[in-house]
Amino acid sequence: MAGAERRRSTVWGKIRAVRCEDVKEWCVRRLPILEWVPIYDWKENLVPDAVSGMMLAIQQVTQGTFALTSLISANAVERLVPSTGTNFTANNNSGVLGLSEFEMQRIGVAAAVSFLGGIIQVAMFTLHLGHATFLLTEPVISAMTTGAATHVVTSQVKYLLGMKMPYISGPLGFFHIYAYIFENIRSVQLEALLLSLLSIVVLVLVKELNEKFQRNIKIVLPIDLVLIIATSTACCYADMEYVYGLEVVGHIPQGLPPPKLPAMNVLSEVVTEAFGVALVGYVASLALAQSSAKRFKYTVDDNQEFLAHGLSNVIPSFFFCIPSAAAMGRTALLYSTGARTQVACLISCALVLVVIYTIGAMLYWLPMCVLASIIVVGLKGMLMQFRDLKKYWNVDKIDWSIWVTTYMFTICFAANVGLLYGVVCTIVIVIFRFPRAKTLNLKNMKEVEYKYKTEENCESLKQVKIVTVSNPLVFLNARKFHADLMKIIQKDGTSSQACEDVNKCEQNTLLCSFSNGSCHGESLQPCQSEQCVLILDCSGLNFFDYTGVSMLLQIYMDCKNRHIEVLLACCKASLIKAMQYGGNLESENPIFFESVSSAIDASQIPRKYSKFSEQSEV
């Protein structure tokens, strides 16, 4: 009995240990801060992170949260609690931060959108819908974000011109807004227009200079903050609000309200906007995350992003916060100011909290036309995506047409409608372009490997891999193509190490088959260097889209970083042209060849090579 008890206790102890390890692993995977904070290098990273955090805080104070999700939330607010025709008055105090009951109702609707949008994102994380993000091609994301940025600029036009106009939304609301402006063009306020133009010119000029000389200066000039201080001071002392009739920001409450559950009674009425916030915010943030990952050589867990953004919307909604997402301007600022880790964002958040509790009320005199100018200039990066049209036209004209039509759907209806149209349109086009006999997996990819070793010594060992691609390369299979190709490269990378240890010769028949004598004994010396060549036989690549071309370029750069030479054989002229337009193929030697044999000759492989793997499928 005692022995049985001991065995049971041992078993339960192992189960507890396994469970504890599993829980710890899950927490580290889902809360990355638990992984990188303990190994944070305070000496090397704290100073640059602190500087970047301060600069980011300045920009966050001046621009606020993500403009695209803010615009979607505003649609729900104006629809449910319109700014005109309300029964509430500004004097009807709610008791929360000195705000009126009318203001709290409008804020409550925005918080409800944030809450429900976050719940949707968490639900998408639970359903592992992050793995379906391959449907979001680069042209669709670019067109949607550009169209949404156009909407934001349009929403600021009335402030730039100093016009009083009703809130206009709904289908084709974009065109109705400009129709109203042209019909009432005489009501433009000249003072507001001149101040807007001056602000935009100063912002653009200084930001361009900051970007040009960022390598020579450690701290960029915070022109947004300087402009806010200068115009607020001038407006206050010159009494521009009453003398010239300039609209100002007005009263800003200090501090945070006590936590409270968002208004549950309006959730059913903001479902459309909540889905828009969940999808648009996630897609725009994911695009920036993937761009950063490509730049700094790391990977992004698409599904984890749903959890992160969902919690970032649900928890703040209890404090009456509006939906948030990543922004291109703030991300670019972190790049330019030399941020090292996420500590820069933590410092920025702490400083913004200080502003909320202390100096937020000082922004009362900030002219709305200046604030609108800051918002418009902050969207410059997204608006510059119009330049991508030339790239899409040169690479794949169908992707170009998808970009244009997705953009038109976005500005005619809404960002979420444009996103849905772009995804559906892309899938339908790919279905019709795919030959019916082909499949989306890469089972038809054949690998033929050649290795040789010169007779003199082991120092000039060279390995060649020839991979035949028998499928179209589009957004549906581009990621799998990249993953399978990396597996092929890594698989041989492990086997080629046998030359380093005599005892491993018998296990690695691939190397032993090229030795000019016995593999036994000490006569076999370790290889000093190994040169690898990857030849992609593109004769079966029937068609491709922009995502496929981008993946080929990424494979080229990844292999180059691994010191692997990449050669492409049997490429169609359209593929060569697309790759040349799509990126910088920095190579001293040609990489495109008419046939596999010419590519082999170019890699300077002797004719006497051994073929050790006839065919393998991935």
Side-chain angles (χ1 to χ4, degrees):
M1 292 294 292
E5 285 293 330
R6 283 196 298 270
R7 284 194 296 271
R8 279 197 295 269
S9 62
T10 303
V11 170
W12 278 110
K14 291 181 178 179
I15 292 175
R16 290 194 197 99
V18 171
R19 288 178 177 174
C20 290
E21 287 298 322
D22 291 342
V23 171
K24 182 179 179 181
E25 182 183 354
W26 187 91
C27 291
V28 171
R29 189 169 68 251
R30 298 309 174 196
L31 299 173
I33 191 172
L34 298 177
E35 182 178 5
W36 60 263
V37 162
I39 60 174
Y40 181 75
D41 192 340
W42 295 90
K43 184 177 180 180
E44 292 292 329
N45 298 334
L46 184 59
V47 172
D49 282 343
V51 173
S52 297
M54 287 187 289
M55 300 302 297
L56 182 60
I58 293 171
Q59 190 177 60
Q60 285 182 310
V61 169
T62 57
Q63 298 185 13
T65 185
F66 191 46
L68 306 187
T69 54
S70 300
L71 184 63
I72 297 173
S73 304
N75 291 335
V77 172
E78 287 294 334
R79 179 167 52 83
L80 298 178
V81 191
S83 55
T84 58
T86 179
N87 294 325
F88 294 103
T89 62
N91 297 325
N92 192 2
N93 198 303
S94 66
V96 180
L97 300 178
L99 297 172
S100 67
E101 194 169 333
F102 166 66
E103 291 172 323
M104 285 305 302
Q105 274 215 347
R106 289 171 65 86
I107 295 173
V109 171
V113 173
S114 179
F115 175 81
L116 186 55
I119 292 295
I120 292 172
Q121 288 174 326
V122 173
M124 290 179 172
F125 160 77
T126 305
L127 297 173
H128 294 278
L129 294 183
H131 301 303
T133 54
F134 66 90
L135 297 173
L136 302 171
T137 62
E138 185 176 329
V140 172
I141 295 175
S142 174
M144 184 276 293
T145 53
T146 306
T150 307
H151 273 298
V152 176
V153 172
T154 301
S155 69
Q156 300 301 311
V157 170
K158 64 178 180 180
Y159 300 114
L160 295 174
L161 301 179
M163 292 181 64
K164 302 290 184 181
M165 62 182 297
Y167 185 82
I168 302 174
S169 62
L172 303 180
F174 174 85
F175 302 101
H176 292 311
I177 290 175
Y178 285 104
Y180 181 91
I181 291 175
F182 285 112
E183 289 175 1
N184 299 272
I185 194 68
R186 293 187 177 181
S187 63
V188 171
Q189 192 176 13
L190 184 61
E191 293 83 2
L193 176 60
L194 292 176
L195 187 54
S196 299
L197 292 175
L198 179 62
S199 301
I200 291 175
V201 169
V202 171
L203 287 169
V204 172
L205 181 61
V206 175
K207 286 178 181 290
E208 288 291 331
L209 291 175
N210 282 338
E211 186 175 348
K212 183 177 181 180
F213 297 104
Q214 63 180 358
R215 294 184 178 181
N216 301 326
I217 54 177
K218 295 183 178 180
I219 301 178
V220 298
L221 177 64
I223 185 58
D224 297 27
L225 180 63
V226 172
L227 187 63
I228 286 175
I229 295 175
T231 55
S232 299
T233 304
C235 184
C236 177
Y237 284 99
D239 205 11
M240 294 182 181
E241 182 183 9
Y242 302 103
V243 176
Y244 300 105
L246 284 180
E247 185 179 359
V248 296
V249 170
H251 172 68
I252 298 178
Q254 287 185 331
L256 292 176
K260 182 181 177 182
L261 190 68
M264 297 290 106
N265 59 319
V266 301
L267 291 184
S268 60
E269 301 181 67
V270 297
V271 172
T272 302
E273 287 81 8
F275 266 102
V277 164
L279 294 177
V280 173
Y282 171 77
V283 169
S285 301
L286 183 64
L288 287 173
Q290 291 175 342
S291 175
S292 299
K294 187 181 296 185
R295 179 172 181 172
F296 296 106
K297 311 299 181 187
Y298 65 91
T299 58
V300 175
D301 184 346
D302 297 346
N303 206 51
Q304 170 73 11
E305 293 296 307
F306 266 129
L307 177 63
H309 288 286
L311 295 179
S312 298
N313 282 325
V314 171
I315 297 175
S317 68
F318 288 85
F319 296 91
F320 299 98
C321 294
I322 62 178
S324 63
M328 186 179 293
R330 294 196 292 270
T331 304
L333 181 66
L334 288 175
Y335 292 161
S336 62
T337 53
R340 300 284 182 85
T341 68
Q342 295 93 324
V343 171
C345 299
L346 294 176
I347 294 173
S348 172
C349 292
L351 293 176
V352 170
L353 201 60
V354 171
V355 171
I356 292 175
Y357 274 95
T358 56
I359 62 176
M362 298 181 183
L363 298 176
Y364 177 96
W365 295 101
L366 176 62
M368 287 297 296
C369 60
V370 175
L371 182 60
S373 301
I374 293 173
I375 293 173
V376 169
V377 174
L379 294 169
K380 176 190 170 186
M382 288 188 176
L383 295 175
M384 293 298 287
Q385 291 178 137
F386 278 111
R387 296 183 299 183
D388 293 342
L389 280 171
K390 180 180 179 182
K391 178 174 61 178
Y392 297 134
W393 179 265
N394 291 323
V395 174
D396 186 8
K397 292 179 175 57
I398 291 182
D399 276 339
W400 180 89
S401 63
I402 291 175
W403 196 103
V404 172
T405 53
T406 301
Y407 175 80
M408 293 303 298
F409 264 79
T410 301
I411 65 171
C412 289
F413 301 99
N416 50 346
V417 176
L419 181 65
L420 179 62
Y421 164 81
V423 171
V424 173
C425 182
T426 304
I427 294 175
V428 170
I429 289 176
V430 167
I431 290 175
F432 279 99
R433 291 176 76 183
F434 257 113
R436 293 186 181 273
K438 297 294 183 181
T439 57
L440 291 182
N441 56 36
L442 296 181
K443 291 181 180 178
N444 292 326
M445 178 187 284
K446 298 178 181 179
E447 174 194 2
V448 182
E449 299 175 323
Y450 296 92
K451 236 178 183 181
Y452 84 98
K453 190 172 77 171
T454 58
E455 297 181 358
E456 290 80 7
N457 52 42
C458 186
E459 295 184 0
S460 58
L461 183 66
K462 173 171 280 191
Q463 168 193 346
V464 173
K465 286 177 168 293
I466 303 174
V467 176
T468 301
V469 186
S470 302
N471 281 328
L473 188 57
V474 294
F475 73 98
L476 290 175
N477 64 348
R479 289 191 185 181
K480 190 174 186 301
F481 175 82
H482 180 271
D484 288 344
L485 201 57
M486 291 299 108
K487 286 180 182 178
I488 291 175
I489 295 172
Q490 292 169 359
K491 179 180 68 175
D492 187 79
T494 56
S495 63
S496 63
Q497 294 176 359
C499 183
E500 298 177 0
D501 191 353
V502 175
N503 296 327
K504 296 180 182 178
C505 270
E506 294 180 358
Q507 301 174 4
N508 193 341
T509 59
L510 305 186
L511 279 178
C512 288
S513 62
F514 297 102
S515 61
N516 292 329
S518 172
C519 255
H520 305 286
E522 298 182 356
S523 59
L524 183 62
Q525 299 296 324
C527 296
Q528 300 297 322
S529 63
E530 180 175 324
Q531 297 177 333
C532 300
V533 178
L534 173 65
I535 298 177
L536 291 180
D537 179 5
C538 301
S539 57
L541 210 165
N542 298 322
F543 70 88
F544 51 87
D545 62 3
Y546 180 80
T547 305
V549 173
S550 298
M551 194 57 68
L552 282 176
L553 292 169
Q554 183 176 341
I555 289 170
Y556 175 82
M557 295 305 301
D558 289 346
C559 290
K560 185 178 180 181
N561 292 333
R562 295 170 180 260
H563 304 289
I564 299 174
E565 185 180 2
V566 178
L567 306 178
L568 288 88
C570 308
C571 297
K572 294 179 172 60
S574 57
L575 177 61
I576 297 175
K577 180 180 178 183
M579 291 190 67
Q580 289 173 341
Y581 276 113
N584 296 323
L585 298 174
E586 299 177 356
S587 177
E588 298 178 356
N589 303 315
I591 64 171
F592 299 104
F593 297 90
E594 295 181 356
S595 63
V596 174
S597 59
S598 60
I600 294 175
D601 292 338
S603 62
Q604 297 180 353
I605 295 180
R607 291 295 181 183
K608 296 180 180 180
Y609 48 76
S610 297
K611 177 178 176 182
F612 63 83
S613 179
E614 292 290 342
Q615 173 178 326
S616 62
E617 290 189 352
V618 179

